[in-house]
Amino acid sequence: MDYNKLSKDELIKLKSELEKQFDDIKKKNIKLDMSRGKPASSQLDISMPLFDVFNSKSEINSENGFDCRNYGVLDGIPEAKKLMADVLNTTPEHILIYGNSSLNAMYDQISRSYSLGVCGNTPWCKCDKLKFLCPSPGYDRHFSITEQFGFEMIVIPMTPTGPDMDLVEKYVNSDETVKGIWCVPKYSNPQGYTYSEETIKRFANLKPAAKDFRIYWDNAYQVHHLYEDKHDEILDIISECEKAGNPDIVYEFTSTSKITFPGSGISCIATSKNNLDDIKKKLTVQTISHDKINQLRHVKYFKDANGIKEHMKKHANVLRPKFEATLKVLDEELKGKNIGSWIEPNGGYFISFDSLEGCAKKIVEKCKELGITLTNAGATFPYKKDPKDSNIRIAPSYLTPNEMHDAMEVFVVCVKLVSVEKILSTK
Ligand code: PLP
């Protein structure tokens, strides 16, 4: 039943039925949080054997004999570089192992470029105007970084094959104040989209007007598949950029945050030799080395990328029923009503829902009244402003499948009620 085709009388009747449902739910005093895109504790349990890798009798030496308990080895131990290179389908000489968070690595990269410049170019703090491209909806914390550094953030619409590349090329190739673009190329946050081969090749073949333009390729969900038989795959951006004669235009980031322990994993930057030399020259002033004991612990535990692949199947087994519970309620309650659309991702951490225009904020508010917390509407856009006020990010990972089902039953009532009110206002 398409809500848009209902008569005014039918809509008024439906509205009062939905209001009754709303009041009934209110009496139940539900409290559930669908905003947190973090692993549930049952997922953290999967990685507990990491603690058994070392004890006080263990030798904590890397394969080249380096004592990992001591200072040194700024760019990471060789076996950790190999492990992360294999995860990213690149080679160890492109890797710098960073600290416990890829977001931290991205922030530092922007900060270094701002205060000290990129590979000898003018530091961004001395530029009159700075712009950054923001494929949206996207990851709110990316946008917070470039907002903090005073960039003008430009919304680039997302499509199922990646950002609108005509627009990306137009900006990057003609405007030297455009210094970068945020990308989550696989199972994007929040839509779960994966960039197509054509999109990636177009990225590699950009002809930036600014010599210090860089693609910030945040491959956070590279191994985070939900289904064994449906894996999205992407081209290796680093070799594509090399083939295109553009080896320096990309910084790739990833971490083991949602593989082992968020905040206690290892992260890395993968990029060209030029960029690595530039980063290391500046980083060496900031730190002597990152946590090599943790690097070695991760390598000893996983052994190789195949170990990570097997480990991720256990995460998928926990996450899949939560995504399925979410999608089932959306399908059963909203399909065919023409009041919202959603994406069924093959991996990642989110389900992205688009309401009728101008409804997202009201839906999130109504959910809150009923005890359901959602990520604030607008959070997935630069400056927290969704021009259509329609995108809502649903994070199924933290609740149980049953809780997710219950939370979504409340969500759909709110979507229906706000949508009926909107359609009625136009009659
Ligand atoms: N990048 C994306 C796209 C994310 O969704 C997240 C966390 O949700 C992060 C980075 C954070 O990664 P880390 O824990 O390595 O800082």
Side-chain angles (χ1 to χ4, degrees):
M1 180 207 353
D2 183 341
Y3 277 18
N4 299 278
K5 292 193 177 138
L6 295 178
S7 69
K8 192 168 177 183
D9 286 346
E10 286 170 320
L11 284 166
I12 291 171
K13 185 161 171 274
L14 182 56
K15 181 166 172 263
S16 77
E17 281 165 22
L18 289 164
E19 280 166 347
K20 163 127 194 5
Q21 284 179 34
F22 187 90
D23 291 338
D24 289 346
I25 297 171
K26 210 170 192 175
K27 287 179 204 137
K28 291 187 188 165
N29 279 324
I30 299 172
K31 254 204 150 2
L32 292 168
D33 189 342
M34 283 201 283
S35 73
R36 288 183 284 186
K38 56 186 196 179
S41 45
S42 56
Q43 285 176 269
L44 304 176
D45 290 343
I46 296 170
S47 301
M48 287 308 282
L50 236 91
F51 287 105
D52 302 330
V53 169
F54 293 135
N55 60 38
S56 61
K57 313 261 177 332
S58 302
E59 272 214 346
I60 320 240
N61 293 344
S62 66
E63 65 185 21
N64 59 0
F66 195 89
D67 185 342
C68 293
R69 298 169 304 173
N70 218 329
Y71 278 133
V73 195
L74 177 68
D75 54 357
I77 59 173
E79 54 267 61
K81 286 189 191 177
K82 166 93 174 75
L83 180 69
M84 297 312 271
D86 287 346
V87 166
L88 293 177
N89 291 324
T90 182
T91 49
E93 64 273 15
H94 289 115
I95 301 280
L96 184 153
I97 304 289
Y98 220 79
N100 67 330
S101 146
S102 60
L103 188 72
N104 184 184
M106 291 178 248
Y107 185 96
D108 279 357
Q109 193 50 45
I110 295 279
S111 178
R112 273 190 295 270
S113 308
Y114 189 84
S115 50
L116 303 169
V118 176
C119 295
N121 288 284
T122 307
W124 294 346
C125 63
K126 297 205 171 123
C127 298
D128 290 338
K129 181 93 203 139
L130 295 169
K131 294 182 192 154
F132 220 87
L133 305 186
C134 300
S136 305
Y139 179 35
D140 53 347
R141 288 179 185 271
H142 285 161
F143 304 153
S144 300
I145 296 175
T146 31
E147 182 169 5
Q148 192 173 72
F149 281 89
F151 282 83
E152 181 191 331
M153 293 187 282
I154 296 164
V155 170
I156 303 289
M158 274 294 286
T159 78
T161 56
D164 175 340
M165 289 309 291
D166 290 342
L167 209 53
V168 171
E169 285 163 356
K170 184 180 137 233
Y171 276 110
V172 174
N173 297 355
S174 67
D175 185 345
E176 66 172 348
T177 67
V178 172
K179 300 298 186 190
I181 179 167
W182 291 117
C183 293
V184 184
K186 191 162 174 179
Y187 304 135
S188 67
N189 175 352
Q191 291 165 304
Y193 284 150
T194 296
Y195 294 10
S196 68
E197 277 193 23
E198 190 201 327
T199 298
I200 296 176
K201 284 183 187 289
R202 286 177 75 174
F203 265 111
N205 282 282
L206 285 169
K207 301 274 171 280
K211 276 194 261 158
D212 51 357
F213 167 87
R214 296 291 184 270
I215 303 162
Y216 281 65
W217 196 256
D218 179 3
N219 203 350
Y221 298 109
Q222 165 80 342
V223 291
H224 301 64
H225 315 286
L226 282 171
Y227 306 94
E228 280 208 30
D229 56 338
K230 285 186 276 179
H231 284 193
D232 293 2
E233 293 305 344
I234 52 169
L235 293 176
D236 165 34
I237 185 71
I238 293 178
S239 51
E240 289 305 313
C241 289
E242 283 168 357
K243 275 191 254 167
N246 263 336
D248 298 336
I249 64 165
V250 67
Y251 302 127
E252 182 170 17
F253 304 87
T254 198
S255 77
T256 64
S257 286
K258 285 168 183 160
I259 298 175
T260 56
F261 302 116
S264 304
I266 57 175
S267 71
C268 72
I269 304 178
T271 188
S272 67
K273 180 172 183 321
N274 262 349
N275 287 337
L276 283 179
D277 289 347
D278 181 48
I279 294 168
K280 281 190 274 186
K281 204 165 67 193
K282 292 158 181 156
L283 187 63
T284 191
V285 179
Q286 187 183 353
T287 185
I288 302 168
S289 53
H290 292 110
D291 181 349
K292 295 178 300 298
I293 297 178
N294 201 27
Q295 293 171 25
L296 189 62
R297 184 190 289 123
H298 276 72
V299 178
K300 288 214 182 277
Y301 178 63
F302 288 120
K303 310 237 170 353
D304 53 27
N306 206 42
I308 293 190
K309 204 167 135 199
E310 289 304 311
H311 183 86
M312 291 313 288
K313 288 184 189 165
K314 298 181 192 161
H315 280 289
N317 288 339
V318 178
L319 285 170
R320 204 183 316 107
K322 304 180 183 195
F323 276 72
E324 285 171 352
T326 310
L327 293 166
K328 187 163 179 279
V329 178
L330 287 171
D331 249 27
E332 287 174 357
E333 295 294 328
L334 297 183
K335 206 169 180 178
K337 296 196 169 57
N338 212 2
I339 52 172
S341 59
W342 57 94
I343 298 156
E344 293 185 21
N346 289 337
Y349 259 68
F350 303 102
I351 290 173
S352 179
F353 180 86
D354 280 314
S355 67
L356 296 178
E357 277 193 44
C359 290
K361 272 209 181 91
K362 286 188 195 138
I363 292 169
V364 172
E365 275 163 26
K366 287 230 180 289
C367 281
K368 196 168 180 191
E369 250 187 87
L370 298 183
I372 303 294
T373 308
L374 282 157
T375 308
N376 285 337
T380 53
F381 282 78
Y383 311 108
K384 306 193 180 352
K385 277 196 200 116
D386 174 356
K388 293 187 179 158
D389 183 25
S390 71
N391 189 250
I392 297 174
R393 186 183 87 165
I394 298 169
S397 60
Y398 201 67
L399 299 177
T400 65
N402 282 341
E403 286 170 336
M404 229 21 240
H405 172 272
D406 294 349
M408 288 307 292
E409 296 252 281
V410 177
F411 176 77
V412 292
V413 169
C414 296
V415 172
K416 288 178 193 174
L417 184 54
V418 172
S419 306
V420 166
E421 283 169 356
K422 154 134 193 184
I423 299 167
L424 257 177
S425 74
T426 64
K427 294 270 174 187

